[in-house]
Amino acid sequence: MPRKLDNVSRMVRGHIGMSMNRFNLFNLQRKVPLNYAGKTLYQQKWAAKSETRAYHGEHLKEKRFKKVIFEPELKTYSQLDASLKSQEVAPTPITLQTYATLEKRLEFALFRSMFASSVRQARQFIMGGYVKVNGVVIKHPSFPLRSGDVFSVDPERVLYALGRAKPSLGKAIDIDNKQIRYWNHYVKLARKNPQKVWEMQQNKPASLNSVANIEAKIRLKEKQDSGESLMKRQQQKVNKKSILGDIVKLGNAAGAHLTADSFEKYGDKLAKSKCLQVYESLLLQKSGLLGDYSPKALDVYFSKETERTPEEKSLLRHVNNLLRELEKSEWERIRLEFENLGAGAAFYDPSYAEKLIPITSLNKEELLEDETKAKVTLPWQKHLFGRKDASKPYFTPWTPRPFLGAFAILPSHIEISFDTCHAVYLRDPVARPGHSEVISPFPEHVHERAYMYYIKKGMS
């Protein structure tokens, strides 16, 4: 039986365990090198042994490790060709192999392959019958693997091990009600001051979570695509007919006070001057558009089948040229508006706040009796928080556990397939010049003293 796990986090002494929890990451970040000053050799060896054993097989009893598992002969090899050529060869960190015998155990291989979040969890998977070696279910965590052995884990167990923790029903409802309160507050502010809220939303600082950053980039790409499509839709609404209709409308509204400034909508001085020329051309033609500028009347005006005198044709060509120039300038103005608003607010849609709908809070007492009655209508979530599929033991939709990337270290002696949750144990880990295949958070001098401690005890 393994030792009881009395202190899983080890926050007091700051020991690093073979687990993917956040406490180990914190201890790893604050860890300082061992200080040997003022210590006897035995004290140095004891300190090194304590640090390394907290990581390598902390669940194994010390007596069993010293008498049965520990092997004094460490496996390594040297590059003879380099030494024969009198080349400088990096020293081989052979003492890092002190705990290499543990790496061939099935429980350790599962953890190294990232099929379990800790060695203790790997033991649970093995004893639960979720692990196979060469197609045979193995229920012994200490099963020794040999070169070429293929082991696999039930994919559901791997998703559970590497996935975010599933919240309880009560906690999920509380989180969703909190999200709904924030959403309703956001809707209220957006309707009150839409542009300010839009800009604040776009200028949020980047998240420290790498997964969230990826999702943010995806959302930004979607916004850019939607912004470009919005820009194109606005440009498509602007054409010669729509511009001519606006000119007639603005010119008629100005009446006797008609000037270039009557066409303020079209921005710069040159564009307003062209609008005035178009309206004056229509006055010169005594065009019926001055009284009826409906879409049907505009279609008739631009129709090639309409009979015209040579003078009318000349004026139509002049108006067409002016409208074509105004059309291009309007398209450019719309494009610049989208660009000049900035990367975040470039795709601002003034009507977005009107489409936001407040949401009613969830009835916790009712949902605790029957979870199937839950109806979440948040824009980013259509189910209870983390319980899209309540039958799964992990967070759904599946999300990687926090800080998983800090522990994503793949071993050299195992070939892993995450698509099928299979792995091949290629060989026992060895040391080579400048590198050891045993993954450890401790430097060579710590392993050296730990080995000195065990080599003496093992020979006594």
Side-chain angles (χ1 to χ4, degrees):
M1 292 293 292
R3 294 187 301 175
K4 291 183 179 180
L5 189 58
D6 297 325
N7 189 4
V8 65
S9 59
R10 301 177 182 275
M11 294 293 288
V12 177
R13 295 187 178 181
H15 285 171
I16 303 168
M18 200 173 285
S19 173
M20 296 181 181
N21 64 54
R22 62 185 184 276
F23 300 107
N24 278 319
L25 186 60
F26 174 73
N27 287 335
L28 186 63
Q29 186 273 336
R30 67 171 182 162
K31 177 64 66 177
V32 295
L34 279 179
N35 184 12
Y36 302 129
K39 291 182 180 179
T40 65
L41 180 58
Y42 179 80
Q43 289 173 333
Q44 296 178 25
K45 293 190 292 184
W46 178 268
K49 185 272 299 185
S50 300
E51 290 285 344
T52 54
R53 281 284 283 122
Y55 181 80
H56 297 277
E58 53 83 21
H59 62 287
L60 300 173
K61 292 184 178 180
E62 186 70 7
K63 183 177 180 180
R64 174 175 171 77
F65 178 78
K66 287 191 294 187
K67 298 296 183 182
V68 180
I69 300 176
F70 176 71
E71 293 183 1
E73 296 182 3
L74 304 181
K75 295 182 180 179
T76 182
Y77 76 93
S78 59
Q79 293 180 337
L80 295 178
D81 56 341
S83 60
L84 291 174
K85 293 179 181 179
S86 300
Q87 295 179 354
E88 291 187 2
V89 180
T92 302
I94 188 171
T95 52
L96 283 172
Q97 299 295 110
T98 303
Y99 300 102
T101 53
L102 295 174
E103 301 295 326
K104 65 175 66 177
R105 292 167 64 100
L106 181 58
E107 56 184 353
F108 281 81
L110 254 62
F111 174 74
R112 293 303 190 196
S113 303
M114 295 184 65
F115 291 156
S117 62
S118 67
V119 174
R120 287 179 178 266
Q121 188 180 62
R123 291 178 64 88
Q124 293 176 346
F125 291 170
I126 295 169
M127 291 187 290
Y130 298 111
V131 180
K132 294 181 179 179
V133 178
N134 298 328
V136 179
V137 175
I138 299 295
K139 294 189 176 182
H140 303 286
S142 61
F143 181 84
L145 294 173
R146 297 181 179 179
S147 299
D149 282 350
V150 179
F151 58 93
S152 61
V153 188
D154 180 12
E156 284 291 313
R157 296 296 95 192
V158 177
L159 291 173
Y160 169 72
L162 303 185
R164 188 175 175 181
K166 176 184 178 181
S168 65
L169 179 56
K171 184 177 180 181
I173 296 171
D174 291 340
I175 292 174
D176 282 334
N177 279 331
K178 187 175 182 180
Q179 290 190 103
I180 290 171
R181 288 197 300 272
Y182 284 151
W183 170 254
N184 291 339
H185 181 65
Y186 169 76
V187 172
K188 183 179 178 180
L189 292 178
R191 289 182 175 179
K192 186 176 180 180
N193 194 338
Q195 185 163 0
K196 182 179 179 181
V197 172
W198 179 277
E199 292 174 356
M200 289 173 58
Q201 183 70 16
Q202 302 304 318
N203 295 327
K204 288 193 305 183
S207 171
L208 296 178
N209 190 327
S210 58
V211 176
N213 284 333
I214 294 172
E215 293 175 350
K217 290 179 182 178
I218 295 173
R219 289 196 297 271
L220 178 60
K221 181 65 168 60
E222 291 174 350
K223 288 177 183 177
Q224 289 175 343
D225 294 340
S226 62
E228 290 178 2
S229 61
L230 177 62
M231 180 186 71
K232 290 179 180 179
R233 286 198 300 272
Q234 290 191 10
Q235 288 179 334
Q236 289 171 357
K237 292 179 182 178
V238 177
N239 51 48
K240 291 188 294 185
K241 293 179 183 179
S242 66
I243 294 173
L244 183 58
D246 284 343
I247 290 173
V248 174
K249 182 179 179 181
L250 294 172
N252 291 345
H257 304 286
L258 180 67
T259 62
D261 292 333
S262 302
F263 307 96
E264 190 70 29
K265 176 181 177 180
Y266 288 90
D268 62 355
K269 184 176 179 179
L270 180 61
K272 290 187 286 187
S273 173
K274 292 177 181 177
C275 292
L276 181 61
Q277 293 180 44
V278 170
Y279 192 81
E280 290 175 345
S281 298
L282 294 178
L283 288 173
L284 186 62
Q285 296 181 51
K286 297 181 180 180
S287 173
L289 285 177
L290 299 174
D292 178 18
Y293 49 90
S294 63
K296 186 176 181 180
L298 290 169
D299 289 338
V300 173
Y301 180 79
F302 285 102
S303 175
K304 294 181 179 180
E305 298 178 359
T306 303
E307 295 183 2
R308 296 183 176 85
T309 63
E311 292 181 358
E312 290 175 340
K313 290 181 180 180
S314 177
L315 285 172
L316 178 62
R317 284 194 296 271
H318 178 62
V319 169
N320 258 327
N321 291 334
L322 293 172
L323 290 175
R324 191 176 295 109
E325 292 173 5
L326 287 170
E327 181 185 51
K328 291 181 179 179
S329 65
E330 278 296 288
W331 287 350
E332 181 66 13
R333 181 183 63 80
I334 293 172
R335 186 187 68 81
L336 290 176
E337 279 183 0
F338 275 81
E339 288 185 357
N340 294 338
L341 284 173
F347 315 114
Y348 171 65
D349 180 7
S351 63
Y352 87 97
E354 301 172 2
K355 303 173 185 177
L356 305 178
I357 303 173
I359 301 173
T360 306
S361 298
L362 302 175
N363 188 333
K364 186 173 182 178
E365 295 180 359
E366 180 184 356
L367 295 181
L368 286 175
E369 296 178 359
D370 186 2
E371 183 179 353
T372 58
K373 294 182 179 179
K375 293 183 179 179
V376 183
T377 56
L378 290 167
W380 59 90
Q381 184 180 314
K382 305 301 179 185
H383 50 79
L384 285 175
F385 178 80
R387 299 178 69 91
K388 183 176 183 180
D389 187 350
S391 63
K392 301 293 184 182
Y394 45 82
F395 191 99
T396 50
W398 188 84
T399 307
R401 61 185 299 144
F403 311 111
L404 179 61
F407 302 100
I409 304 174
L410 300 181
S412 303
H413 61 285
I414 301 177
E415 186 69 28
I416 306 165
S417 171
F418 289 107
D419 293 334
T420 61
C421 295
H422 281 65
V424 181
Y425 186 80
L426 302 175
R427 51 181 164 71
D428 294 340
V430 297
R432 61 188 69 204
H435 174 67
S436 173
E437 294 180 348
V438 175
I439 299 171
S440 176
F442 306 104
E444 184 182 2
H445 63 83
V446 178
H447 280 267
E448 180 181 3
R449 285 163 174 78
Y451 176 74
M452 291 168 63
Y453 174 87
Y454 284 116
I455 195 68
K456 182 178 179 180
K457 292 292 180 179
M459 296 173 65
S460 60

